[in-house]
Every structure is written in structure tokens, then in C-alpha cells.
Amino acid sequence: MKKLKEKKEKGVQSISLPPSLTFGEYAYSTIEKQYRSILKQEPKVLADEDPEHLHQMRVGTRRLRTALQVFAVAIDLPESASQKRIGALARILGGLRDLDVQTADLRETYRPQLEGSEKDQLDEVIKILTKKRRQAYAEVEKTFGQSRYRELKNAYENWLESPRYTPLATLPIRTLLPDLLSPLLSELLLHPGWLVPADYSSMEDGETLHDLRKAFKHVRYQTEFFTSFYGKSFQEWVADIKLLQEKLGKLQDNQVLQQLLAEHLPRQADLPTLQSRIQQTQSDVLSDWDEVRQRYLEPEFRYQLYQMLLNPDENNKN
């Protein structure tokens, strides 16, 4: 399998894409890149000196899992390298990463805004989360030492050495781009989250927005695989999806914090300043949500998105 040549232009790494590039060749390149990125972070995660390495490894597992979904019709992977195995690893890493994010929010964002008894009560919650974090790290450490994890890595090393494909792998990747991306766009545009206003009050609406965040994440990871085939308008749209995912992610983090406080604080606890700050964060995150969702509901804008996906080469000329 020939590898795609990478080059750097103005400090940004790009990939040289030959016109004859096949579906299988691009699948191989993408899967190898995501797998190697996971492997690179493993010793740094075990060192546990910088939470960023854990974050990057978790993102790597998510991207690899998405790549397996995108290229499933072109590749033949062994069961030990399946999406299910990657998903299980992602969940283990995610449990530790979520605790890092939650503790950092409480310690660095909210604690400096509190005084007196509110700060003391919050410190008790932080202590509990710190203990849970040690337990979650032990679980990650245990996972890396298990035979199941070694089997996962061996499966990828063997496949990369001798990849197996389906007949579809021989088709040109450019021919298939609309087929790969249009269903993804349809799923996103048909999501009920676009109908939830910024001033929603029901728990059901909150869950719907949480599910929309996951849809944004899936769209972002998948479209990022194909930015080299499209031009500026596509890249700007992918950046927009990333921003929306991050905003709704903050909303979800807020809801998780509320649940943690309810779980770990005594019933008589009173933290009005903290609750006020959390509510303000939610308001800030959703300040332009109604404007955004109305744009995505406009027929003309939706049509433009489909046209963009159908004409990759035209987009590259812009």
C-alpha cells in the first residue's frame, strides 16, 4: 500500500492527493494516522504528568472509531480491531478525562469566584472527585496491561502490514465523496435539536441538545477526514460545526457539574453564588443559539450545504 506524501506549507501539514487516489488507499492512510496517534500518547498517559495527553489519546480513539465507520465498506478488519473494541477503550479513557474536565472547572473556573463556606463546601466536592480520579486512572493503567489491549494493537499492526479490502476499495475516492458525506449531512439537518430554543426549560429538551452535540462531534470528525478534497467554504463549515460542538459541550459539562454537586453535597448545602455562576455560563453558551438554529432551518442554506458536498473539485477552485 503506497502512503500519501505529507508536506508542510506555511507551518501547516497537508497531504498531497494524487488524482488516481483510491478509496482503499485513503482508508489505509487515515486509519494508520489515527492508530499511530493513539499509540504515541500511551506512554505519556501512563506517565500522568499532563492531562492533555489523555485528551489527545481519547480524541484519537474517537477519530479512529469514526474512520472505521466511514471506511467500513472498503476494508476487512479482524474482530479484535473492531469499532466495538475501540469504543470500549474510548469509554475507559473518557471516564478519566471527564473527571479531569469536571475537577478543573470546579477548581479553576468556579472556586476563585467563591468565598467563605461556599468555597469550603466546594473543596469537599473536589476532594471526592480527586479520589474518584485516582480510581479511574488505575482502571486505565489496568486496561493498558491487559491481553485484550495487546490483541487490539497486534491486530492493527498486522492489518497495516498486510491490509485486506473489499472490491469497493478500488474505486476513486473523489467519486465517492458525495455518497459518503451527504447521508451524514441529512442526519444532522433532520435532528430535532434544531427545534429547541435557547430558553428551553424541560429536561427532555436538554437531552435533545446533548444528543445534537454528539451529532456535531460525529459530523466534525468525519468531515475533517476530507477537508483536503474541498475548498474554503467546506473548511469554514467544518470549523463552524466544531464551534457548535464545543458550545454544546460546555452546556453538557454544566449539567454534569449540577449532577455532581447534587450527588456529593449535603442536602442542606447552600451555594447561591456557585449556582448563579453556573446559570450564567449556560446563558452565555446559548446567547446566539436561536440565530444559529434558524440559519440551519433555512431552505436556501441547507441547499447550499448539499451543493457544496456534491462539488468537491469546484470548491477547491475557489
Side-chain angles (χ1 to χ4, degrees), residues 1-193:
M1 172 59 63
K2 59 184 180 182
K3 296 184 179 181
L4 304 182
K5 295 181 179 179
E6 295 187 350
K7 60 183 180 179
K8 289 188 177 181
E9 296 180 355
K10 297 182 180 180
V12 178
Q13 194 175 59
S14 60
I15 301 177
S16 177
L17 301 173
S20 60
L21 185 66
T22 67
F23 193 18
E25 288 170 341
Y26 198 67
Y28 181 96
S29 176
T30 303
I31 291 170
E32 181 186 37
K33 180 179 180 180
Q34 303 311 320
Y35 169 69
R36 298 297 179 201
S37 73
I38 294 171
L39 215 59
K40 179 181 178 182
Q41 298 301 332
E42 182 186 329
K44 299 173 183 178
V45 170
L46 285 173
D48 202 25
E49 295 175 352
D50 185 345
E52 180 62 21
H53 299 306
L54 171 65
H55 172 57
Q56 292 302 324
M57 189 172 188
R58 182 193 192 187
V59 169
T61 59
R62 286 175 167 177
R63 290 184 187 279
L64 178 56
R65 190 180 184 189
T66 300
L68 299 185
Q69 294 168 349
V70 173
F71 300 111
V73 294
I75 59 175
D76 182 8
L77 281 175
E79 177 61 28
S80 51
S82 66
Q83 295 180 39
K84 184 178 180 180
R85 290 284 187 97
I86 294 296
L89 175 60
R91 284 190 292 274
I92 295 294
L93 297 173
L96 180 57
R97 174 60 183 172
D98 288 345
L99 285 167
D100 281 345
V101 170
Q102 293 152 6
T103 305
D105 273 349
L106 290 177
R107 181 182 289 125
E108 299 168 14
T109 302
Y110 294 110
R111 189 178 186 279
Q113 303 178 58
L114 305 180
E115 296 180 355
S117 63
E118 283 199 59
K119 181 173 290 188
D120 293 338
Q121 292 177 78
L122 189 62
D123 284 343
E124 291 302 314
V125 176
I126 292 174
K127 287 180 182 178
I128 294 172
L129 294 184
T130 300
K131 181 179 179 181
K132 293 179 69 173
R133 201 266 177 198
R134 288 195 295 269
Q135 295 170 344
Y137 172 75
E139 185 66 22
V140 169
E141 197 173 32
K142 177 183 175 182
T143 297
F144 286 171
Q146 290 176 336
S147 60
R148 189 177 180 86
Y149 181 64
R150 291 193 295 272
E151 289 171 1
L152 174 70
K153 294 193 292 185
N154 288 336
Y156 276 96
E157 296 291 350
N158 292 335
W159 187 85
L160 291 171
E161 182 67 27
S162 302
R164 295 167 60 101
Y165 301 99
T166 71
L168 283 176
T170 61
L171 295 177
I173 180 66
R174 283 177 172 82
T175 302
L176 302 178
L177 289 174
D179 303 308
L180 294 170
L181 294 175
S182 294
L184 186 72
L185 178 59
S186 297
E187 184 178 348
L188 177 66
L189 295 182
L190 289 172
H191 198 284

Side-chain angles (χ1 to χ4, degrees), residues 177-178 181 226-231 234-235 308-309 311-312 315-316:
L177 289 174
L181 294 175
F226 302 108
T227 53
S228 296
F229 296 95
Y230 288 90
F234 183 86
Q235 293 162 13
M308 176 182 66
L309 298 185
N311 298 284
N315 278 278
N316 258 325

